[in-house]
Amino acid sequence: MSFLTLLDYASVLVFAASGAMVASRAQLDIIGFAFIACLTAVGGGTVRDVLLDRNPVFWVGDPVPILLASGVAATVFFTAHLVESRLRWVIWLDSFALAIAVPAGTGVAMELGHGPVIVVLMGMATGSLGGLMRDVVCNEVPLVLKQGELYISCALAGATVAVVLLWLGSTPATALVSCAAMTWVTRAGSLIFGWHLPIYKGRPPRS
Amino acid sequence: MSFLTLLDYASVLVFAASGAMVASRAQLDIIGFAFIACLTAVGGGTVRDVLLDRNPVFWVGDPVPILLASGVAATVFFTAHLVESRLRWVIWLDSFALAIAVPAGTGVAMELGHGPVIVVLMGMATGSLGGLMRDVVCNEVPLVLKQGELYISCALAGATVAVVLLWLGSTPATALVSCAAMTWVTRAGSLIFGWHLPIYKGRPPRS
Amino acid sequence: MSFLTLLDYASVLVFAASGAMVASRAQLDIIGFAFIACLTAVGGGTVRDVLLDRNPVFWVGDPVPILLASGVAATVFFTAHLVESRLRWVIWLDSFALAIAVPAGTGVAMELGHGPVIVVLMGMATGSLGGLMRDVVCNEVPLVLKQGELYISCALAGATVAVVLLWLGSTPATALVSCAAMTWVTRAGSLIFGWHLPIYKGRPPRS
């Protein structure tokens, strides 16, 4: 199994857990857990593969990710009551999944020989779109749009690090691991220390 | 016309009616009815065809489904006031559409030679995603997420029946008809008798 | 650069501005502005290219549209406070983007040799789906569903004009320019003069 496949699998596991946690907040049954877990787990990578015309889509060629995500969903169904704050788990699981999915998307686009802009975009899309689908379908406020938090910016920073390191001559593995680290550290810093970019502030409304 | 094309057409007709009924709840004009009807009618099959790289997408190769869905939308526009409860019509039309679309998706994936997991998934995706798009775009609570109702589970049950029957040696036609029956009976049983799987129940909130 | 590429670029610029304006209403940071601007700008054309199996998707083959949309987003981030009503800007920018994207979609489908129904549909999809994604992700009421306004109908009218003119023997350029004019005039007429089609009105609810 290649390093890229491994990254796809790891992001599937962690995104699936975050999806199942959101399903628990919506009080679905076990099949609903599996549905949301699979949507979250493979959503970003599926968009990447369709956009890059990569055939077959990774989980259509090999359905193991779907089985893994379903297994994770079942586990969460029986254990989610053990944790204190499910929303906190969603947020932190999502941060790890983001940090794994961004290099997964970046790596696939590099391997297909795309230029730096597309490589960065595919990292961002793979990292953020599964979670976005989860939130839109389950009617949660999309994490990607939370005010005053870094999210899509972390994906951008991570993917950019990968492209720059590779351009400087580092190995793909180093580039992808640094990408994951950059993505996670900026996201965690935002969650713990409140790191953020200035948000848009319009004029005060007319009185 | 092959049996599979016929199934696609039938699910188009019934999903279009459910979409038009939702459009009537949103008080759109006749073109808005057609737009939502078409989105609902071809949404699931389109995702299936894109994921399986089936070219062309069924309604791009032959736009009859779009014309049918638009015709249904126009008919509903002029007759929806005749029915007592439009929400009930949405739910029951959707149940028939689900029961037709699941074997349509299952059959296409079988015909392309995919394994059992992908066949089941394509049945579920074709059955549920058109209705999901309808509900997300029109801001209804997605039927697929209604608490304490079977929905995606019916698609799973139906598609599984098809795969098992085929594996036991039955003809494709028998497998697909049984799939439709299983899907509809479980969905109808859930609507009439309240059949459901246990939903996730967390601990009571801390006081 | 061909006329069609030019149309794609122009619709990217204007849709990006509308997306960035919506991002300002959601008070995102500058990367969030770029994300929503890019989603809006390339969303409709991406769906068109995936459905028509046009490879590569226009912005994957040439990422200039992404860079343009990001540049527009940055500009709006620093200037949106200068305008009086951001919602009005969103609506009018969107009307111009619609009027450019409909001929862009129509033209691509014509060039690929599709029949009139698919040509019209691709015009409608390219014109409306980017804005629909923007509104669903940002939790605005989709413009496409606003009661008593023409929107998707303008796309239909414009695309139909293009198909009819071409069938009557006019040049593609004339057909596409007339398509843009028809789309924009009907949309603007709806916004200024309240032009609309009759909306669905059910019976009054039982008392």
Side-chain angles (χ1 to χ4, degrees):
Chain A
M1 185 187 293
S2 77
F3 185 56
L4 282 177
T5 310
L6 206 71
L7 276 177
D8 263 347
Y9 276 37
S11 93
V12 158
L13 285 175
V14 193
F15 264 135
S18 84
M21 280 288 174
V22 170
S24 82
R25 285 165 52 86
Q27 293 201 286
L28 301 182
D29 61 31
I30 194 167
I31 307 295
F33 271 58
F35 179 74
I36 302 297
C38 289
L39 185 74
T40 313
V42 305
T46 301
V47 172
R48 174 198 65 198
D49 288 357
V50 168
L51 290 178
L52 297 183
D53 201 38
R54 193 165 171 244
N55 271 313
V57 171
F58 75 105
W59 55 269
V60 172
D62 162 21
V64 171
I66 298 293
L67 302 176
L68 286 178
S70 304
V72 168
T75 310
V76 171
F77 185 78
F78 291 112
T79 58
H81 65 282
L82 298 175
V83 307
E84 194 76 10
S85 160
R86 279 173 290 146
L87 182 56
R88 186 170 304 181
W89 274 81
V90 169
I91 289 171
W92 282 98
L93 284 169
D94 185 275
S95 80
F96 287 107
L98 182 72
I100 305 167
V102 172
T106 306
V108 165
M110 280 176 176
E111 207 179 44
L112 294 173
H114 286 282
V117 175
I118 297 302
V119 166
V120 168
L121 283 172
M122 289 300 137
M124 295 169 74
T126 310
S128 64
L129 296 185
L132 184 60
M133 290 181 198
R134 173 196 65 208
D135 295 339
V136 167
V137 168
C138 292
N139 229 355
E140 303 257 348
V141 177
L143 282 179
V144 76
L145 294 180
K146 278 265 183 68
Q147 252 180 50
E149 270 184 27
L150 298 180
Y151 189 92
I152 193 74
S153 306
C154 309
L156 173 60
T160 305
V161 162
V163 167
V164 170
L165 283 183
L166 213 74
W167 182 72
L168 292 173
S170 85
T171 64
T174 311
L176 295 182
V177 170
S178 310
C179 166
M182 183 71 176
T183 304
W184 191 78
V185 167
T186 49
R187 177 71 183 140
S190 176
L191 288 170
I192 301 175
F193 304 115
W195 296 351
H196 65 278
L197 291 169
I199 65 167
Y200 176 81
K201 283 228 170 75
R203 290 172 309 182
R206 280 166 295 168
S207 56
Chain B
M1 185 186 295
S2 78
F3 185 56
L4 281 178
T5 310
L6 206 71
L7 276 177
D8 262 347
Y9 276 36
S11 93
V12 157
L13 286 176
V14 193
F15 263 135
S18 84
M21 280 287 174
V22 171
S24 82
R25 285 164 52 86
Q27 294 200 287
L28 301 182
D29 61 31
I30 195 168
I31 307 295
F33 270 59
F35 179 74
I36 302 297
C38 290
L39 185 75
T40 313
V42 305
T46 301
V47 173
R48 174 199 65 196
D49 288 358
V50 168
L51 291 178
L52 298 182
D53 201 38
R54 192 165 173 245
N55 271 313
V57 170
F58 73 106
W59 55 270
V60 173
D62 162 24
V64 172
I66 298 292
L67 302 176
L68 286 178
S70 302
V72 168
T75 310
V76 172
F77 185 78
F78 290 112
T79 58
H81 64 284
L82 299 176
V83 308
E84 193 76 8
S85 160
R86 280 173 289 147
L87 182 56
R88 187 171 303 183
W89 273 81
V90 169
I91 289 171
W92 282 99
L93 284 169
D94 186 275
S95 80
F96 287 106
L98 182 73
I100 305 168
V102 171
T106 307
V108 166
M110 280 175 176
E111 207 178 45
L112 294 172
H114 286 282
V117 176
I118 298 303
V119 166
V120 169
L121 283 172
M122 289 301 137
M124 295 170 75
T126 310
S128 63
L129 295 185
L132 184 60
M133 290 181 197
R134 173 196 65 207
D135 295 338
V136 166
V137 168
C138 292
N139 230 354
E140 303 257 349
V141 177
L143 282 179
V144 76
L145 293 181
K146 278 264 183 69
Q147 254 180 50
E149 272 184 25
L150 298 180
Y151 189 92
I152 192 74
S153 306
C154 309
L156 173 61
T160 306
V161 161
V163 167
V164 170
L165 283 182
L166 211 75
W167 182 73
L168 292 174
S170 84
T171 64
T174 311
L176 295 183
V177 170
S178 310
C179 166
M182 181 70 175
T183 305
W184 191 78
V185 167
T186 48
R187 177 71 182 139
S190 176
L191 289 170
I192 301 175
F193 304 114
W195 296 351
H196 64 281
L197 291 169
I199 65 166
Y200 176 80
K201 282 227 168 79
R203 291 172 309 183
R206 279 164 297 167
S207 56
Chain C
M1 185 187 295
S2 76
F3 185 57
L4 282 178
T5 311
L6 206 72
L7 276 176
D8 262 346
Y9 277 37
S11 93
V12 158
L13 285 175
V14 193
F15 264 135
S18 84
M21 280 288 174
V22 171
S24 83
R25 286 165 52 86
Q27 294 201 287
L28 301 182
D29 61 31
I30 194 169
I31 307 296
F33 271 58
F35 179 74
I36 302 297
C38 290
L39 185 75
T40 312
V42 305
T46 301
V47 172
R48 174 198 66 197
D49 287 358
V50 167
L51 291 178
L52 297 183
D53 201 39
R54 192 165 172 246
N55 271 312
V57 171
F58 74 105
W59 55 270
V60 173
D62 162 23
V64 171
I66 298 292
L67 302 176
L68 286 178
S70 303
V72 169
T75 309
V76 171
F77 185 79
F78 290 112
T79 60
H81 65 283
L82 299 176
V83 308
E84 193 77 9
S85 161
R86 280 173 289 146
L87 183 56
R88 186 170 305 181
W89 273 81
V90 168
I91 289 171
W92 282 98
L93 284 169
D94 185 274
S95 79
F96 287 106
L98 181 73
I100 305 168
V102 172
T106 306
V108 166
M110 280 175 176
E111 207 178 45
L112 294 173
H114 286 282
V117 176
I118 297 302
V119 166
V120 169
L121 283 173
M122 289 301 136
M124 295 169 76
T126 311
S128 65
L129 295 186
L132 183 60
M133 290 181 198
R134 173 196 65 205
D135 295 338
V136 167
V137 168
C138 292
N139 228 353
E140 304 256 349
V141 177
L143 283 180
V144 76
L145 293 180
K146 278 265 183 68
Q147 253 180 51
E149 272 184 23
L150 298 181
Y151 189 91
I152 194 75
S153 307
C154 309
L156 174 60
T160 305
V161 162
V163 166
V164 169
L165 283 182
L166 212 75
W167 182 73
L168 292 175
S170 85
T171 64
T174 311
L176 296 183
V177 170
S178 310
C179 166
M182 181 70 177
T183 304
W184 190 78
V185 167
T186 49
R187 177 71 183 139
S190 176
L191 289 170
I192 301 175
F193 304 114
W195 296 350
H196 64 279
L197 291 169
I199 65 167
Y200 176 80
K201 283 228 171 75
R203 291 172 308 182
R206 280 165 297 167
S207 56

